[in-house]
Amino acid sequence: MAGPANFLTRNKSIILYGIFLAVLLFLLKWLELRFLIINHAFEIYAGSIAVLFTALGIWLALKLTKPKTILIEKEIFTERTGAFILNEKELTKLNISKRELEVLQLMSEGLSNQEIASKLFVSLNTIKTHNARLFEKLEVKRRTQAIETAKKLSLIP
């Protein structure tokens, strides 16, 4: 204990001088900042207003350009008269293969492309190719449209 106490008593004036200089430096920096704010008050206020309005503009643009999703539910009444009969004539006319018909049936059951691929033991790209050909042959753009068209043409139950 004698060592540190001896060090403090020996260097007391140097330590006080260092603390005094640190306090003065802090005071000078505070004054400099204060005068900087006073001298450039207009620029600081204008800059903060510009930042505020930029943020407001970005927020408003994101709100206005956000796509609005509208969900429309409609009932479709279908008349079933007995058992399902495959429309062979339409199947031949559209030139739909048996594999494409299988894919269309599994698609109508609500399976994803990956689930259809694993069920038929083929790759995902093969299923995507079958889907693209089916969409082209049925002249549709979406799975739901393909299923609806296939049901209208009696290709699937």
Side-chain angles (χ1 to χ4, degrees):
M1 276 308 251
N6 191 16
F7 174 77
L8 289 176
T9 56
R10 252 189 321 167
N11 298 319
K12 181 178 180 182
S13 61
I14 295 172
I15 294 171
L16 286 175
Y17 184 70
I19 292 173
F20 181 69
L21 283 177
V23 169
L24 278 177
L25 183 62
F26 176 75
L27 182 64
L28 284 173
K29 285 295 179 182
W30 181 75
L31 285 173
E32 181 184 358
L33 179 66
R34 190 160 182 252
F35 284 121
L36 183 71
I37 291 174
I38 290 171
N39 289 340
H40 300 288
F42 176 75
E43 289 87 356
I44 292 171
Y45 290 133
S48 59
I49 289 172
V51 168
L52 178 72
F53 275 103
T54 301
L56 181 66
I58 291 171
W59 175 79
L60 189 61
L62 290 174
K63 285 293 184 184
L64 291 177
T65 59
K66 189 176 186 181
K68 293 182 172 110
T69 307
I70 299 173
L71 180 65
I72 299 174
E73 290 185 32
K74 61 179 183 177
E75 291 185 53
I76 299 175
F77 297 103
T78 57
E79 294 181 23
R80 297 232 172 162
T81 55
F84 172 74
I85 300 171
L86 179 65
N87 189 349
E88 294 283 342
K89 186 193 293 184
E90 199 65 41
L91 195 64
T92 310
K93 179 182 168 191
L94 293 174
N95 196 21
I96 295 177
S97 68
K98 290 186 180 189
R99 189 56 119 179
E100 290 171 345
L101 186 61
E102 283 180 80
V103 170
L104 187 61
Q105 288 170 340
L106 292 173
M107 193 187 307
S108 71
E109 291 175 15
L111 298 178
S112 68
N113 286 343
Q114 186 63 49
E115 292 169 333
I116 295 171
S118 62
K119 195 164 193 162
L120 296 178
F121 303 105
V122 294
S123 72
L124 181 61
N125 287 332
T126 305
I127 297 302
K128 289 180 180 179
T129 303
H130 287 313
N131 283 345
R133 288 184 183 155
L134 275 169
F135 292 171
E136 186 179 313
K137 290 176 182 179
L138 293 172
E139 297 176 358
V140 295
K141 293 182 182 178
R142 293 182 189 83
R143 293 167 70 104
T144 53
Q145 292 173 337
I147 293 167
E148 187 177 353
T149 304
K151 284 185 179 184
K152 282 181 185 175
L153 298 175
S154 294
L155 300 177
I156 55 174

